[in-house]
Amino acid sequence: KQWYQRRVAITAGHGIGFKRRAPRAIKELRKFAEKTMGTPDVRIDTRLNKHVWHKGVKNVPFRVRVRLARKRNEDEDSVHKLYTLVTVVEGVTSFKGLQTQNVDNE
């Protein structure tokens, strides 16, 4: 697989108990990134974590635009050669008509 980035809109939170919504959204983001990028090592950026939690545990944003970047692992001791970094894309006003974009290194 190539080294590339993807921009994707994620939806989560329906049918989940109130006190589990934000942790479940983070788990779903992690699961989606692992499945999409094919790396078991997934790292969530702190800004994305704050974006998911900024309205509390119950009021998770309905949609989040994220950037998935597959990167080479610099840690010598790690079992996995690659990891996926999940970051939030700021400034998305509308989610209408968005599609997944493959982005070369920016």
Side-chain angles (χ1 to χ4, degrees), residues 22 25 29 38 40-42 44 49 59 73 76 80 85 90 92 98 103 105:
L29 282 167
D41 187 4
V42 176
I44 305 287
N49 193 40
N59 299 317
N73 204 345
E76 305 279 331
H80 310 292
L85 180 64
E90 300 288 343
V92 177
L98 284 181
V103 181
N105 292 333

Short mmCIF file of all heavy atoms in Angstrom, two decimals, residues 22 25 29 38 40-42 44 49 59 73 76 80 85 90 92 98 103 105:
data_model
loop_
_atom_site.label_atom_id
_atom_site.label_comp_id
_atom_site.label_asym_id
_atom_site.label_seq_id
_atom_site.Cartn_x
_atom_site.Cartn_y
_atom_site.Cartn_z
N ALA A 22 -19.22 9.64 24.00
CA ALA A 22 -17.90 10.14 23.60
C ALA A 22 -16.85 9.03 23.58
O ALA A 22 -16.11 8.91 22.60
CB ALA A 22 -17.47 11.30 24.49
N ALA A 25 -17.51 6.98 20.53
CA ALA A 25 -17.14 7.68 19.29
C ALA A 25 -15.64 7.56 19.04
O ALA A 25 -15.21 7.32 17.89
CB ALA A 25 -17.55 9.14 19.37
N LEU A 29 -13.93 5.72 15.85
CA LEU A 29 -12.93 6.37 15.01
C LEU A 29 -11.69 5.49 14.87
O LEU A 29 -11.15 5.32 13.78
CB LEU A 29 -12.52 7.72 15.60
CG LEU A 29 -13.46 8.88 15.39
CD1 LEU A 29 -13.10 10.03 16.29
CD2 LEU A 29 -13.44 9.31 13.94
N GLY A 38 -5.49 -0.11 7.33
CA GLY A 38 -4.80 -1.40 7.41
C GLY A 38 -3.65 -1.44 8.39
O GLY A 38 -2.75 -2.25 8.24
N PRO A 40 -2.77 -1.76 12.57
CA PRO A 40 -3.35 -1.97 13.90
C PRO A 40 -2.98 -0.88 14.90
O PRO A 40 -3.66 -0.70 15.90
CB PRO A 40 -2.78 -3.32 14.33
CG PRO A 40 -1.58 -3.53 13.49
CD PRO A 40 -1.79 -2.78 12.22
N ASP A 41 -1.89 -0.13 14.64
CA ASP A 41 -1.46 0.95 15.53
C ASP A 41 -2.12 2.25 15.07
O ASP A 41 -1.74 2.81 14.05
CB ASP A 41 0.06 1.06 15.49
CG ASP A 41 0.60 2.03 16.52
OD1 ASP A 41 -0.19 2.55 17.31
OD2 ASP A 41 1.82 2.24 16.53
N VAL A 42 -3.13 2.72 15.82
CA VAL A 42 -3.87 3.94 15.47
C VAL A 42 -3.68 4.94 16.58
O VAL A 42 -3.89 4.62 17.75
CB VAL A 42 -5.37 3.64 15.26
CG1 VAL A 42 -6.13 4.91 14.99
CG2 VAL A 42 -5.56 2.65 14.13
N ILE A 44 -4.81 8.76 17.96
CA ILE A 44 -5.80 9.84 17.87
C ILE A 44 -5.13 11.14 18.31
O ILE A 44 -4.53 11.20 19.39
CB ILE A 44 -7.01 9.55 18.78
CG1 ILE A 44 -7.64 8.19 18.46
CG2 ILE A 44 -8.04 10.67 18.68
CD1 ILE A 44 -8.39 8.11 17.18
N ASN A 49 -9.55 14.56 19.80
CA ASN A 49 -10.14 14.13 21.06
C ASN A 49 -10.90 15.28 21.72
O ASN A 49 -12.03 15.11 22.18
CB ASN A 49 -9.04 13.62 21.99
CG ASN A 49 -9.59 12.87 23.17
OD1 ASN A 49 -10.54 12.12 23.06
ND2 ASN A 49 -8.98 13.09 24.32
N ASN A 59 -23.21 14.92 24.34
CA ASN A 59 -23.51 15.63 23.11
C ASN A 59 -22.35 15.57 22.13
O ASN A 59 -21.69 16.57 21.85
CB ASN A 59 -23.86 17.09 23.41
CG ASN A 59 -25.07 17.19 24.30
OD1 ASN A 59 -26.04 16.47 24.10
ND2 ASN A 59 -25.01 18.04 25.30
N ASN A 73 6.73 4.20 11.47
CA ASN A 73 6.96 4.21 12.91
C ASN A 73 8.45 4.39 13.18
O ASN A 73 9.27 3.60 12.74
CB ASN A 73 6.46 2.90 13.53
CG ASN A 73 6.13 3.04 14.98
OD1 ASN A 73 6.51 4.01 15.61
ND2 ASN A 73 5.41 2.08 15.50
N GLU A 76 12.04 2.11 17.38
CA GLU A 76 12.78 0.90 17.00
C GLU A 76 12.16 -0.36 17.62
O GLU A 76 12.20 -1.44 17.04
CB GLU A 76 14.24 1.01 17.46
CG GLU A 76 14.97 2.23 16.96
CD GLU A 76 15.45 2.07 15.54
OE1 GLU A 76 15.73 0.94 15.13
OE2 GLU A 76 15.55 3.09 14.84
N HIS A 80 5.04 -2.97 14.91
CA HIS A 80 4.46 -2.54 13.63
C HIS A 80 5.36 -1.50 12.97
O HIS A 80 5.86 -0.60 13.62
CB HIS A 80 3.07 -1.94 13.87
CG HIS A 80 2.19 -2.81 14.70
ND1 HIS A 80 1.70 -4.03 14.25
CD2 HIS A 80 1.73 -2.67 15.97
CE1 HIS A 80 0.98 -4.58 15.19
NE2 HIS A 80 0.98 -3.78 16.25
N LEU A 85 -2.21 8.10 11.91
CA LEU A 85 -2.49 9.28 12.72
C LEU A 85 -3.82 9.86 12.27
O LEU A 85 -4.01 10.15 11.09
CB LEU A 85 -1.38 10.31 12.57
CG LEU A 85 -1.56 11.60 13.37
CD1 LEU A 85 -1.54 11.29 14.86
CD2 LEU A 85 -0.49 12.60 13.01
N GLU A 90 -10.27 21.08 10.37
CA GLU A 90 -10.98 22.26 10.86
C GLU A 90 -11.61 23.02 9.70
O GLU A 90 -11.16 22.92 8.56
CB GLU A 90 -10.01 23.19 11.60
CG GLU A 90 -9.34 22.56 12.80
CD GLU A 90 -10.25 22.34 13.98
OE1 GLU A 90 -11.33 22.96 14.01
OE2 GLU A 90 -9.90 21.55 14.85
N VAL A 92 -14.77 22.92 8.38
CA VAL A 92 -15.78 22.32 7.52
C VAL A 92 -17.13 22.90 7.92
O VAL A 92 -17.60 22.69 9.04
CB VAL A 92 -15.78 20.79 7.65
CG1 VAL A 92 -16.88 20.18 6.80
CG2 VAL A 92 -14.44 20.23 7.25
N LEU A 98 -19.61 15.97 0.39
CA LEU A 98 -18.20 15.66 0.62
C LEU A 98 -17.91 14.23 0.21
O LEU A 98 -18.74 13.34 0.37
CB LEU A 98 -17.86 15.82 2.09
CG LEU A 98 -17.70 17.23 2.63
CD1 LEU A 98 -17.33 17.17 4.10
CD2 LEU A 98 -16.65 17.97 1.88
N VAL A 103 -4.99 12.26 -0.49
CA VAL A 103 -4.14 13.44 -0.51
C VAL A 103 -2.70 12.98 -0.44
O VAL A 103 -2.33 12.14 0.40
CB VAL A 103 -4.45 14.34 0.71
CG1 VAL A 103 -3.59 15.57 0.70
CG2 VAL A 103 -5.92 14.70 0.73
N ASN A 105 1.29 13.79 0.42
CA ASN A 105 1.83 14.43 1.63
C ASN A 105 1.72 15.94 1.51
O ASN A 105 2.19 16.54 0.55
CB ASN A 105 3.28 14.02 1.85
CG ASN A 105 3.38 12.57 2.21
OD1 ASN A 105 2.46 12.00 2.76
ND2 ASN A 105 4.51 11.96 1.90
#
